[in-house]
């Protein structure tokens, strides 16, 4: 069965600190996709990134970076020089590779990030 | 604005009642997914429709049902409501076609917050 674990329930940092959100996943599939979504206080879910299981290259987008390590089944998310606007709940998610266009996501429980000024 | 429209934004009702939540997917998207977000269960996949047909079913109660209409909008019907059904219900849509073109990236609406008293 597929499972996503985000062990950090809540993280509090001071602005400009770097912070890493952990994500560990379980799947028996060899082909799968990993995602991060952000849920700001306003409540909507915002897509941040998608990675497939064959691409272990780290990715950087501005202050955001992602580290995918198949060996440890982890897909961690780092925010560099955090800002108050980064305060949100962040979800890691997993999707398999179905043949029937059913791309449902299995979400972790989320990590609430609070960035204090 | 994600392009996925959900109505109503907020709904307060009593136990035993029935409600209908509506979702209009992004223009061109054929898949609609329903998720329930509650404090104790997190983000749970309920059901997916693809071009009018049910494609996948998750942890959806028998008291809940959904459908997708020819114009691709979807409705989630919740009946015999219980206090525990209070949650944020999200609709998401995704494009048709290949994963390479983003077919497995779900775009979420702003959610419908249901409160059962």
């Amino acid at each position: 069965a597929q499972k996503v674990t985000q062990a950090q329930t809540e993280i509090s940092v001071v602005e400009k600190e770097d912070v890493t959100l952990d994500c560990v996943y379980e799947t028996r599939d060899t082909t799968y996709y990993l995602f991060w979504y952000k849920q700001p206080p306003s409540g909507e879910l915002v897509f941040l990134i998608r990675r497939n299981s064959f691409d272990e290259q780290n990715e950087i987008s501005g202050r955001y970076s992602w580290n995918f390590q198949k060996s440890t089944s982890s897909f961690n998310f780092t925010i560099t020089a955090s800002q108050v606007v980064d305060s949100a709940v962040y979800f890691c998610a997993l999707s398999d590779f179905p043949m029937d266009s059913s791309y449902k996501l299995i979400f972790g429980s989320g990590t609430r990030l609070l960035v204090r000024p | 604005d994600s392009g996925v429209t959900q109505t109503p934004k907020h709904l307060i009702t009593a136990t035993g009642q029935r409600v209908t939540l509506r979702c209009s997917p992004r223009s061109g998207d054929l898949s609609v997914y329903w998720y329930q977000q509650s404090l104790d269960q997190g983000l749970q996949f309920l059901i997916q429709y693809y071009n009018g047909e049910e494609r996948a079913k998750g942890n959806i109660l028998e008291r809940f049902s959904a459908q997708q209409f020819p114009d691709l909008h979807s409705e989630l019907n919740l009946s015999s409501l219980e206090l525990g059904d209070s949650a944020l219900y999200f609709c998401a849509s995704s494009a048709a076609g290949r994963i390479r073109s983003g077919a497995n990236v779900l775009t979420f609406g702003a959610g419908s917050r249901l409160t059962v008293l």
Side-chain angles (χ1 to χ4, degrees), chain A residues 104, chain B residues 34 44-48 54 56-61:
Chain A
K104 61 183 183 294
Chain B
W34 286 97
Q44 295 283 319
F45 168 69
L46 296 178
I47 198 164
Q48 179 215 357
E54 183 184 305
K57 223 167 182 175
N59 301 319
I60 188 167
L61 300 171

Side-chain angles (χ1 to χ4, degrees), chain B residues 15-49:
Chain B
T15 53
Q17 295 299 304
R18 173 190 168 95
V19 298
T20 297
L21 309 180
R22 183 189 168 104
C23 169
S24 293
R26 285 187 321 170
S27 177
D29 285 359
L30 298 184
S31 273
V32 169
Y33 301 75
W34 286 97
Y35 278 81
Q36 179 195 58
Q37 185 179 28
S38 60
L39 283 175
D40 53 347
Q41 296 287 330
L43 269 163
Q44 295 283 319
F45 168 69
L46 296 178
I47 198 164
Q48 179 215 357
Y49 281 82

Side-chain angles (χ1 to χ4, degrees), chain A residues 46-92:
Chain A
V46 179
F47 166 75
L48 294 179
I49 189 172
R50 176 191 71 172
R51 298 299 270 177
N52 72 54
S53 51
F54 297 112
D55 184 0
E56 287 193 71
Q57 280 195 343
N58 292 335
E59 181 153 341
I60 298 175
S61 175
R63 296 184 296 106
Y64 294 173
S65 62
W66 290 269
N67 180 266
F68 175 31
Q69 291 197 336
K70 246 173 147 172
S71 60
T72 56
S73 297
S74 65
F75 185 44
N76 296 337
F77 174 29
T78 297
I79 302 175
T80 303
S82 60
Q83 299 176 0
V84 172
V85 293
D86 295 327
S87 296
V89 181
Y90 291 86
F91 291 94
C92 180

Side-chain angles (χ1 to χ4, degrees), chain A residues 37 39 50 100 102-103 105, chain B residues 35 37 55 99 104 106:
Chain A
Y37 279 80
Q39 187 175 34
R50 176 191 71 172
D100 62 352
S102 174
Y103 304 123
L105 302 180
Chain B
Y35 278 81
Q37 185 179 28
R55 225 12 114 79
I99 286 181
N104 68 341
L106 272 56

